[in-house]
Amino acid sequence: MNYFELFSLPALFSVDQIRLSETYRELQKQFHPDKFAMHSDSERLAAMQKSTEINDAYQTLKNSCLRAQYLLLLNGLDIALEQRTLQDTDFLMQQMEWRETIASFTENDEDKIEDFAGNIEQQVQNLELLITLQLQEKQLEAAADSVRKLKFMLKLKIELDLLEEKLFD
């Protein structure tokens, strides 16, 4: 089943998160395995499978990177498990600079860290806008490269969050 169809959403990168959450709750109420406790084994199994599918679909559509990968998959390009690296030398150099910057932060750099986090968030938003356009125009290989960059940026955000926890908690 197509995840977008399951949630009655258009197959677009931009998703109405409120509608997604509301539909998720409705589907979970309808197919929650506890509702099938008194049914046959096959009905309980089917409800459990449907509930798992609903959870998987929700997690995929909720996350911008997973959603972009899923849209690429729907268009015949599966990059979910690939080990391919980016060929964009400028971006690779920028990655190294960002990692060096993160490694250099100390507990005295709270303002610098906040500014850096804002810059990274802006980069993520810019990539998400670019992916939207690339998918609309069926530029699948370009969108795949943008998703690879987005994956890196989201990992960088996590690293920065972990550093902040370590320095300021």
Side-chain angles (χ1 to χ4, degrees):
M1 151 93 25
N2 178 311
Y3 291 168
F4 290 98
E5 291 173 3
L6 178 63
F7 282 85
S8 301
L9 293 168
L12 300 170
F13 182 66
S14 181
V15 169
D16 180 342
Q17 293 291 328
I18 294 170
R19 184 171 165 201
L20 176 67
S21 294
E22 289 171 351
T23 305
Y24 170 72
R25 284 190 296 279
E26 290 169 15
L27 288 169
Q28 279 297 25
K29 284 181 199 171
Q30 186 178 351
F31 293 102
H32 196 279
D34 290 348
K35 288 186 75 169
F36 294 83
M38 305 308 278
H39 290 78
S40 70
D41 287 346
S42 63
E43 289 173 312
R44 283 195 310 270
L45 179 60
M48 189 178 304
Q49 289 171 332
K50 188 67 170 181
S51 182
T52 300
E53 180 183 25
I54 292 165
N55 284 330
D56 291 345
Y58 179 67
Q59 294 304 319
T60 298
L61 297 181
K62 182 174 79 166
N63 178 293
S64 66
C65 192
L66 295 177
R67 186 171 58 250
Q69 286 180 190
Y70 185 69
L71 283 164
L72 287 170
L73 178 63
L74 291 177
N75 283 283
L77 187 58
D78 187 357
I79 66 166
L81 300 176
E82 73 177 8
Q83 297 299 316
R84 185 172 155 189
T85 58
L86 280 167
Q87 303 303 313
D88 184 338
T89 308
D90 292 337
F91 186 77
L92 295 173
M93 295 301 290
Q94 184 65 59
Q95 282 184 35
M96 290 183 357
E97 288 178 30
W98 284 325
R99 288 198 185 281
E100 288 171 7
T101 299
I102 289 176
S104 72
F105 285 137
T106 68
E107 59 274 352
N108 299 323
D109 295 326
E110 193 166 356
D111 290 339
K112 289 180 185 176
I113 293 171
E114 189 175 315
D115 290 343
F116 185 80
N119 179 37
I120 297 302
E121 182 58 37
Q122 186 62 55
Q123 296 287 329
V124 167
Q125 290 174 8
N126 292 344
L127 279 169
E128 289 175 342
L129 286 172
L130 182 59
I131 291 168
T132 299
L133 295 172
Q134 290 168 329
L135 288 171
Q136 284 173 352
E137 306 214 350
K138 299 291 185 193
Q139 298 171 352
L140 301 181
E141 287 297 333
D145 278 343
S146 295
V147 170
R148 291 177 189 105
K149 290 177 183 178
L150 180 61
K151 281 183 186 181
F152 171 79
M153 299 305 295
L154 294 174
K155 286 179 190 174
L156 196 65
K157 281 179 64 171
I158 291 169
E159 288 177 31
L160 191 58
D161 289 344
L162 291 172
L163 176 69
E164 285 184 288
E165 284 179 24
K166 179 181 166 188
L167 294 177
F168 304 117
D169 285 346

